[in-house]
Structure formats: structure tokens, C-alpha cells
Amino acid sequence: MSADMTRPFHMLVKPNGPICNLGCAYCYYLEKTELYPQTRSFRMSDETLEEFIRQYIEASPHPIIDFAWQGGEPTLLGIDFFRRVVELQKRYAPPTKEIRNAIQTNGTLLDDDWCRFLKENSFLVGLSMDGPRELHDRYRLDKGGNPTHERVLEGLRRLQDHEVDYNVLCVVNELNSRHPEAVYDFFVGHNVDFIQFIPLVEPQGDGVSPRSVTAEAYGEFLVRTFDHWIRRDVGRIFLQIVEETLAAWSGGHQSLCVFQPTCGKAFALEHNGDLYCCDHFVLPEWRLGNLHQTPLAELTALPKARQFGLYKREKLPAYCRNCDYLFVCNGGCPKNRLIKTPDGEEGLNYLCAGYKRFFAHVAPFMKRMVELLRRRMPPALIMGELHSVETRRFASVKRNDPCPCGSGLKYKKCCLSKNGGR
């Protein structure tokens, strides 16, 4: 087979498979041990690690090559494993290539040695955290059922102390979705400036699990978070879904796979060299092969891999094709296409109602920020504009009048109290 060396692809590498020191209630990867029932150690061998790094660098057509290390919990492998990663990358990368590393972690094992290593080698760290203690500890417990919030928070502090580049990944579930301001304020209060909000959707029977966020709750969470952000933090705090939405409105390229027209370019590599079409489809039917038998460049170019990627666009319901916001979400992640459209067609994204609520709400703000960008002006100017408009809007409102924000509360119980009663 002749591999297409110009086709870019990305790897989510699981060097420790599904092994983790936590037992998060909603983790979809812990059960992947069942794929390898005879395996006692899920630690990636040095032979597989070297072969992967060599092949991945050789197959990457672009000057920047991104490595993404996930789990399970990759820090369980120890710092020496990743020192070996850096050593091999330097050995196989030509001078014309820039190597970048990202690692996703629960943060509980991060100490000063780890943080020094991550800083010295310019790793980007994704830290999993679901908000304040009472929200985070509902589902993110260790194997013994003990809370983890304090340990994760200590990991966050160490990352900050060592000036490691990081962002936070927050899983939005049925509990924390009810407290968007508390979640947002918690992260901002701890000096987090880039946040990813990942909706929890767990198929169960004919529906989803009770801890899954509903589409309506997810939409409301995003809207209220956005309203909090747009009035005070534009240009200072970065929310992934806002960045992706603005990219779509600007006519640019969205980096998040769930919002791209097709998928199939973000593969998952298991500890033994097995390659799967996607991190969320690590299933026997979507196994492409093993890098020890077939080079990665060939595996990623297989018709099966290409068809997997095209499925997202080809199976899009007519309801989606005619939607005003198709250009933003492109039907969302295929793993969440669990419900029927209003006219009974299969394949609608479970989160559709939430996405539409959010995209409709932010549309006028997106238009204005795009206009500012095209005039080479900072989008943060929108905050001053909003303040001026709202100052005029609230000027004549009396304490017992309905609040102009549309909450349904009296002004004195809503925005007046939020602004210190002035």
C-alpha cells in the first residue's frame, strides 16, 4: 500500500492503557482492560515506544509535531518514562521539525520533580478538575472511594508555582451543570485562564445515565458561563467552546474535532501498539491494526479509517443539514448521536437542544467580535460597549421592577444585588 504522507493525523497515546489511580464514576476508559484480558502489565514497552515515536515523526508532514499522552493516568509511569520519550524524540526528529508534548493528568501525583521536568521540557498539561470541592468530589474519587479535590488543587498550585503551561478540563455533569457561576468563579479565582467544558453523555439502556448532563442543562450552563465571561473576562480568560465558536463565525479553522465537518484524524494508540479510529471508539470493530505489523502511515490511510471519518458527514440527518448552526457544530461528536430528529430520523446529537440554545444566544456577540477583529481591534472592547449599553438600560429601573436581564426576578433580587445594591 502507498501511504498518503500529506494527510495530517493526530494521536492520543495511552502508554499505560486504562490504568489509573482514581476510580472516577464516569470514566469510560477504565473498562478497556477487558480488551486485553491476558495482559498483566499495561506499561508500554521501550520497543513499542521507540517504534511509535520513530514512525509518528516520519509520517508527520508538517513542521510541528504534537504528541498527546493520555490514560488512564500517564504519570503513573514515572518521570523516567517521559525522559525516555524526550530522548527518543530528539533522536528521531530532524532539525526542521518542532516537537511539542501535551499530557492529560488528574494531577494527584504531581510533585516538584514532575513540575520541574514538565517545565524544562515545555510540556502542556491538561488538568482534569470539575470545580469546587463539593462538585468535584461527587464523581472524582480514588480507588478507595476517597475525595481527590485537595490533591488535585495541590497539583494545580505546583503547576502554577513552576510556571508550567496548563489548561483545565472540566466534565460538565448533572450536578455541576446546575452551578455554572460557582464553577467558573472557582477556576478564575484559582488563576486558571483556559478552560475546556466537556459534556458528560453516557449511553445507558434506551437513554443516558442519571449523572449525564441533559441537553437543556448543558445549554443553560454554557449560556450563563458565557454571560459571566463576556462582561469581564474577554481577552483574559479563554473558554474552548467560545474560541471554537468564534473561529467558525470568523470563517476560520476549528481545532476541536467534535465541531469539524468530518473526523477520523485523531487516532488512539494503545499500550501495545494497537491503533483505533478514535479515543471514544476503542472497540474491536474499530481497531485498525498494530504498528509492529503495519506502519502508522499506512494504518491511518486505510479505507476503514477514512470511512470512519466520513461517517460523521454522510450520516448527518436532514434536520442538521438545514440548521442555521450547522457551520458551527457540524452535528457534534458521532458518539453522542443518540436520539431522533423531530421528524423521526435517526442520528441527532443528544446535545442538540443545548448547542442551539448556546449558539443562538452568543450569535450577536460573535458578530460584533468578528467585526472588531476584521477592523484589527481587540474583541475585549466588547466589554466596554456592553457596560455602556447596560448602564443606560438599567438607569431607569426601580428596585421592585422586573429585572431587565430577563431572569424573572425583581431587580433588587437580581442584578441590583449582584452589583452591590448600587
Side-chain angles (χ1 to χ4, degrees):
M1 174 184 291
S2 175
D4 183 355
M5 295 294 288
T6 64
R7 182 175 185 259
F9 59 88
H10 185 58
M11 293 279 167
L12 298 178
V13 190
K14 311 282 188 174
N16 204 28
I19 305 304
C20 188
N21 58 326
L22 302 191
C24 300
Y26 54 65
C27 183
Y28 65 93
Y29 220 80
L30 295 176
E31 65 186 29
K32 298 305 178 183
T33 54
E34 298 173 7
L35 285 174
Y36 303 98
Q38 306 304 318
T39 300
R40 292 188 177 183
S41 172
F42 281 83
R43 183 185 183 89
M44 181 176 282
S45 69
D46 191 69
E47 177 189 10
T48 300
L49 179 65
E50 182 169 359
E51 192 63 18
F52 159 63
I53 290 174
R54 181 186 66 79
Q55 289 189 28
Y56 188 45
I57 290 173
E58 288 181 357
S60 299
H62 298 307
I64 298 175
I65 306 174
D66 290 302
F67 286 80
W69 307 94
Q70 297 195 357
E73 176 50 46
T75 60
L76 285 170
L77 292 164
I79 297 175
D80 285 344
F81 180 90
F82 287 95
R83 287 196 178 104
R84 178 64 171 159
V85 165
V86 173
E87 175 191 330
L88 291 169
Q89 289 171 339
K90 290 178 179 177
R91 178 187 302 177
Y92 288 107
T96 55
K97 302 281 188 178
E98 177 187 348
I99 300 294
R100 299 192 303 202
N101 285 287
I103 185 170
Q104 185 68 38
T105 176
N106 59 45
T108 60
L109 301 178
L110 295 177
D111 57 17
D112 289 330
D113 288 341
W114 259 113
C115 291
R116 275 191 291 269
F117 167 81
L118 295 168
K119 176 63 176 178
E120 290 168 2
N121 293 282
S122 302
F123 273 63
L124 172 65
V125 177
L127 183 70
S128 297
M129 198 175 199
D130 290 353
R133 179 187 294 105
E134 63 275 14
L135 303 179
H136 174 95
D137 284 340
R138 177 65 179 87
Y139 295 120
R140 296 191 67 81
L141 305 175
D142 65 19
K143 297 289 190 183
N146 302 304
T148 63
H149 188 269
E150 284 304 315
R151 283 176 277 173
V152 181
L153 191 56
E154 179 59 27
L156 172 61
R157 293 189 186 109
R158 289 181 185 273
L159 290 171
Q160 293 170 337
D161 288 345
H162 289 270
E163 299 182 338
V164 178
D165 288 335
Y166 73 93
N167 56 55
V168 163
L169 187 154
C170 174
V171 174
V172 181
N173 52 64
E174 57 81 25
L175 177 60
N176 62 4
S177 65
R178 295 182 240 146
H179 308 279
E181 292 86 2
V183 172
Y184 181 84
D185 286 342
F186 170 81
F187 289 130
V188 174
H190 285 84
N191 300 311
V192 174
D193 59 14
F194 193 101
I195 312 167
Q196 303 177 51
F197 291 120
I198 309 298
L200 177 63
V201 181
E202 294 181 305
Q204 187 177 88
D206 294 330
V208 297
S209 70
R211 58 178 170 252
S212 296
V213 65
T214 66
E216 293 74 16
Y218 186 56
E220 183 68 13
F221 177 92
L222 294 178
V223 164
R224 286 167 59 183
T225 300
F226 179 84
D227 285 349
H228 221 44
W229 171 84
I230 193 70
R231 286 164 174 80
R232 68 184 198 186
D233 291 325
V234 180
R236 187 175 76 90
I237 306 298
F238 298 89
L239 306 178
Q240 185 187 51
I241 191 165
V242 175
E243 296 292 304
E244 293 293 310
T245 305
L246 185 57
W249 274 94
S250 303
H253 173 72
Q254 293 168 281
S255 60
L256 194 61
C257 62
V258 299
F259 291 145
Q260 292 175 355
T262 61
C263 51
K265 295 181 181 179
F267 299 88
L269 186 77
E270 260 294 341
H271 66 288
N272 65 343
D274 282 350
L275 188 69
Y276 293 85
C277 285
C278 172
D279 182 40
H280 289 284
F281 290 85
V282 178
L283 302 165
E285 59 266 35
W286 293 113
R287 178 182 177 273
L288 296 170
N290 188 285
L291 62 79
H292 290 291
Q293 283 82 50
T294 309
L296 288 175
E298 294 185 16
L299 290 175
T300 59
L302 287 173
K304 183 177 182 179
R306 290 180 176 275
Q307 188 55 48
F308 175 85
L310 292 174
Y311 167 85
K312 179 178 182 178
R313 183 171 59 200
E314 292 175 352
K315 299 294 184 180
L316 201 62
Y319 181 79
C320 295
R321 296 179 192 275
N322 296 320
C323 178
D324 290 340
Y325 304 110
L326 176 64
F327 76 101
V328 188
C329 86
N330 287 296
C333 183
K335 78 177 182 66
N336 292 335
R337 293 185 180 178
L338 306 173
I339 60 176
K340 294 181 179 180
T341 65
D343 58 1
E345 189 177 0
E346 298 280 357
L348 183 63
N349 196 300
Y350 167 84
L351 295 168
C352 176
Y355 280 139
K356 291 179 80 169
R357 164 102 164 89
F358 174 69
F359 295 138
H361 180 78
V362 304
F365 303 97
M366 293 293 114
K367 291 177 183 177
R368 179 55 181 152
M369 286 195 283
V370 168
E371 182 182 348
L372 289 169
L373 285 169
R374 287 176 179 165
R375 292 167 59 188
R376 298 186 178 181
M377 301 172 73
L381 290 177
I382 197 172
M383 292 187 291
E385 296 174 354
L386 285 172
H387 178 73
S388 297
V389 169
E390 292 180 352
T391 297
R392 294 193 298 271
R393 185 182 177 196
F394 283 84
S396 61
V397 181
K398 297 179 180 179
R399 291 174 57 83
N400 290 312
D401 289 345
C403 190
C405 77
S407 66
L409 299 174
K410 289 184 178 181
Y411 178 48
K412 67 182 180 182
K413 295 289 186 181
C414 191
C415 288
L416 180 64
S417 63
K418 292 177 185 176
N419 290 321
R422 58 180 174 79

